[in-house]
């Protein structure tokens, strides 16, 4: 109590309000991502195996099973919405300024995309669980739940929020495409037409994914010019983001690249192409460094 009174006396208007203190205490009390991540991964693996079995037999999820899976996605999405809102309110900025926050946001994007499109495709539900669970698990690597502080000046820009959100939506969609590739390879010989169906769905996801990634790179270039006085500096993160964009643009040109008309080749390519996403996000932050390494 004495420390609190001293802080209020010396800090004055710079001290967070009492409501923010209570919000941070609530945030810390509710922050238990490990059980949620473990549950999502287990449900995702079980759902994936069950979806493969059902596709081989030509069946879909029952209404009751689908309802329970959708309810779990909705509950996880509401929980992450609350946690992101609390962290954003306490910090005074959108919570997308470091690796922990961006992985949380990617998990939230994944669950939202799953809710929007799960009715159209059998595998989206287990994929959503897997991607969200893995994103939450990755967010706990390194500095789990880093201290909530003010942003450094270079990050204090609305362009940062737009840039990160677009890129995270793209990464979430590309993760769906990668898992679609895994399912396509697994079911290639077991379910007639499954690989072609998965290819069609993955190609539909590639269009918004590539668009969001390109838009994110563009906004990032504008932000770089505002912050550092240049649009492009061949920083490792910039280079690998461009490499990822070019790699994923290839399957969209199946008219001139006939290999991508073959479902099995398309699925193997989508699995291998996701390595460029991993290098862009993890390899640059932890191995290559550069001006973007502070965001890891």
């Amino acid at each position: 109590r004495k420390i609190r009174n001293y802080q209020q006396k010396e800090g004055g208007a710079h001290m967070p309000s009492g409501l923010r203190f209570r919000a941070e205490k609530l945030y810390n009390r509710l922050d238990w991502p490990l059980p949620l991540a473990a549950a999502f991964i287990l449900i995702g693996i079980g759902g994936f195996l069950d979806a493969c079995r059902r596709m081989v037999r030509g069946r879909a999820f029952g209404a009751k099973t689908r309802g329970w899976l959708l309810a779990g996605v909705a509950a996880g999405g509401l929980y992450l919405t609350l946690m992101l809102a609390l962290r954003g309110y306490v910090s005074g900025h959108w919570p997308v300024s470091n690796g922990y926050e961006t992985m949380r946001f990617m998990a939230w994007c994944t669950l939202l995309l799953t809710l929007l499109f799960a009715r159209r495709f059998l595998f989206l539900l287990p994929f959503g669980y897997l991607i969200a669970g893995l994103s939450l698990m990755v967010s706990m690597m390194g500095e789990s739940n880093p201290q909530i502080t003010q942003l450094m000046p270079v990050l204090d820009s609305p362009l940062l929020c737009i840039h990160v959100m677009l890129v995270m939506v793209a990464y979430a969609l590309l993760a769906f495409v990668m898992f679609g590739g895994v399912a396509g390879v697994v079911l290639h010989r077991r379910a007639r037409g499954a690989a072609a169906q998965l290819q069609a769905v993955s190609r539909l996801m590639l269009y918004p994914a590539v668009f969001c990634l390109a838009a994110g790179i563009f906004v990032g270039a504008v932000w770089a010019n505002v912050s550092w006085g240049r649009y492009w500096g061949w920083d490792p993160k910039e280079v690998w983001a461009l490499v990822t964009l070019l790699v994923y643009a290839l399957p969209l040109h199946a008219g001139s690249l006939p290999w991508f008309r073959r479902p099995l080749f398309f699925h193997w390519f989508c699995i291998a192409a996701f390595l460029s996403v991993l290098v862009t996000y993890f390899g640059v932050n932890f191995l290559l460094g550069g001006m973007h390494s502070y965001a890891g």
Side-chain angles (χ1 to χ4, degrees), residues 113-132:
L113 291 170
T114 303
L115 284 175
L116 291 176
F117 302 112
R119 294 181 181 277
R120 296 179 177 271
F121 185 55
L122 176 66
F123 279 96
L124 281 185
L125 274 170
F127 288 172
Y129 275 100
L130 272 173
I131 297 168

Side-chain angles (χ1 to χ4, degrees), residues 26-164:
L26 177 62
Y27 171 84
N28 291 327
R29 197 159 47 238
L30 295 178
D31 190 41
W32 27 269
L34 182 58
L36 182 63
F40 271 18
I41 291 172
L42 290 175
I43 293 172
I45 293 173
F48 174 74
L49 295 175
D50 187 44
C52 289
R53 180 179 62 84
R54 289 175 181 274
M55 183 162 276
V56 169
R57 297 179 178 181
R59 299 176 182 176
F61 283 126
K64 190 174 182 180
T65 302
R66 181 182 290 273
W68 279 111
L69 289 174
L70 285 171
V73 171
L78 289 174
Y79 168 76
L80 288 178
T81 301
L82 175 62
M83 298 305 291
L84 288 170
L86 286 172
R87 190 174 181 92
Y89 175 70
V90 172
S91 64
H93 58 78
W94 287 93
V96 289
S97 61
N98 54 51
Y100 173 82
E101 293 174 351
T102 54
M103 281 291 97
R104 285 288 187 94
F105 182 76
M106 180 173 169
W108 182 85
C109 287
T110 299
L111 295 178
L112 178 62
L113 291 170
T114 303
L115 284 175
L116 291 176
F117 302 112
R119 294 181 181 277
R120 296 179 177 271
F121 185 55
L122 176 66
F123 279 96
L124 281 185
L125 274 170
F127 288 172
Y129 275 100
L130 272 173
I131 297 168
L134 291 171
S135 299
L136 289 173
M137 195 67 75
V138 169
S139 73
M140 293 180 285
M141 296 170 57
E143 188 181 6
S144 177
N145 195 8
Q147 185 179 5
I148 300 176
T149 60
Q150 292 184 341
L151 287 177
M152 62 176 70
V154 71
L155 297 177
D156 192 10
S157 168
L159 292 173
L160 166 70
C161 303
I162 301 172
H163 166 66
V164 173

